[in-house]
Amino acid sequence: MKLLIVMITYNRLKYSQKTLDDLVNTITVDNHIVVVDNASTDGTKLWLADQKKEGNIDDFIINDENLYPGKATNIGWAAGLDAYPGATHLMRLDNDFSFKPEWDTTAEDYFKKIPELGQLGLDHEAIEHPKAALRVMSINGKKLNPWPGCVGGVNIIPRKVYNLGLRYDSMRWDDDRKSPMQEDSNFSRKIQAKGYLTGHMTEDLARTFANPSNWHEFPSYYKKTM
């Protein structure tokens, strides 16, 4: 697997630092990392320049305004593929995520074992709901959980899905989060409409470290996302 990773940042610098540290300390597959920043004002831009100099990321893009996660991901994937045309898989990464070793090779194995897999979610907490246990399916020895019907947040798609022209909606989030459907939910439904499976890997190797205990640190962000 040759993995193009697009990490989206919007302030939360200390979260971005933890996420990137976890990523570079655990990833073993061939990769190319691009960070797309949505007009942060907390020092993120200077930090990104330093990370590129140190070789922790391959490139970064600074947007003039907050374009929100969907459009930022599209921008990063397009730019990343220009620089890393051999990518076989594309990943969206939010900047509040942690990884354990072998998350990447485990994800690679899912795509090898399940050819019809079009999107793999990595956030284990998404399938910790009691009802999720009823949805597990076993395919070629891999347990895939499609709960809750779409894959939000951090995920990987195969290049063939991107080549179909599928992209995230470039939607903005209103202040009360009343948008008809999140951009990540729509993206999963587009992939499913092409006949591909979507679901989460069942191994507890990656998860968000954002939870009710620390939402108060960035209330305006989590009001919109949670």
Side-chain angles (χ1 to χ4, degrees):
M1 180 165 67
K2 297 181 182 297
L3 186 60
L4 168 59
I5 302 169
V6 171
M7 176 175 164
I8 310 303
T9 57
Y10 175 56
N11 293 321
R12 305 192 301 178
L13 176 56
K14 66 178 182 178
Y15 282 18
S16 299
Q17 292 168 331
K18 175 174 171 51
T19 299
L20 186 61
D21 283 347
D22 258 20
L23 176 65
V24 299
N25 287 325
T26 57
I27 193 165
T28 60
V29 300
D30 289 342
N31 67 88
H32 185 88
I33 302 172
V34 178
V35 180
V36 181
D37 181 71
N38 273 325
S40 293
T41 58
D42 64 348
T44 293
K45 298 174 186 178
L46 292 176
W47 173 72
L48 289 175
D50 288 340
Q51 294 308 298
K52 184 175 181 180
K53 289 179 182 177
E54 293 174 11
N56 290 327
I57 62 176
D58 295 286
D59 204 358
F60 65 93
I61 298 167
I62 305 295
N63 292 327
D64 293 333
E65 60 178 311
N66 185 0
L67 300 179
Y68 298 86
K71 189 170 184 177
T73 301
N74 295 339
I75 291 170
W77 279 349
L81 287 173
D82 284 342
Y84 189 57
T88 61
H89 294 76
L90 289 69
M91 177 173 170
R92 165 185 164 175
L93 174 60
D94 299 331
N95 66 331
D96 56 2
F97 218 70
S98 61
F99 299 92
K100 296 178 182 178
E102 300 185 6
W103 68 269
D104 54 342
T105 53
T106 300
E108 181 180 32
D109 195 43
Y110 270 87
F111 287 104
K112 287 181 178 178
K113 297 284 182 59
I114 310 176
E116 62 270 34
L117 181 59
Q119 186 183 33
L120 180 67
L122 306 185
D123 47 327
H124 189 269
E125 71 281 353
I127 56 172
E128 291 175 356
H129 190 285
K131 292 182 179 179
L134 304 175
R135 299 287 299 278
V136 180
M137 60 177 70
S138 182
I139 304 173
N140 294 329
K142 299 302 294 185
K143 291 183 178 180
L144 183 72
N145 197 322
W147 175 267
C150 62
V151 177
V154 179
N155 69 90
I156 301 173
I157 65 170
R159 178 73 174 271
K160 60 188 178 183
V161 166
Y162 183 88
N163 289 345
L164 290 173
L166 302 185
R167 303 291 186 272
Y168 280 98
D169 294 341
S170 298
M171 65 189 298
R172 292 180 176 272
W173 296 348
D174 61 44
D175 288 340
D176 295 320
R177 203 65 170 97
K178 294 178 181 177
S179 301
M181 188 177 292
Q182 292 178 315
E183 79 288 342
D184 46 16
S185 297
N186 266 339
F187 190 54
S188 291
R189 282 164 173 73
K190 292 176 186 179
I191 295 171
Q192 293 163 359
K194 293 294 184 179
Y196 288 98
L197 291 175
T198 65
H200 291 83
M201 67 180 188
T202 57
E203 293 85 351
D204 188 2
L205 296 175
R207 58 172 59 223
T208 180
F209 54 78
N211 57 58
S213 70
N214 58 20
W215 288 348
H216 68 278
E217 295 181 323
F218 301 97
S220 62
Y221 184 92
Y222 290 109
K223 176 183 177 183
K224 296 178 180 181
T225 61
M226 298 296 178

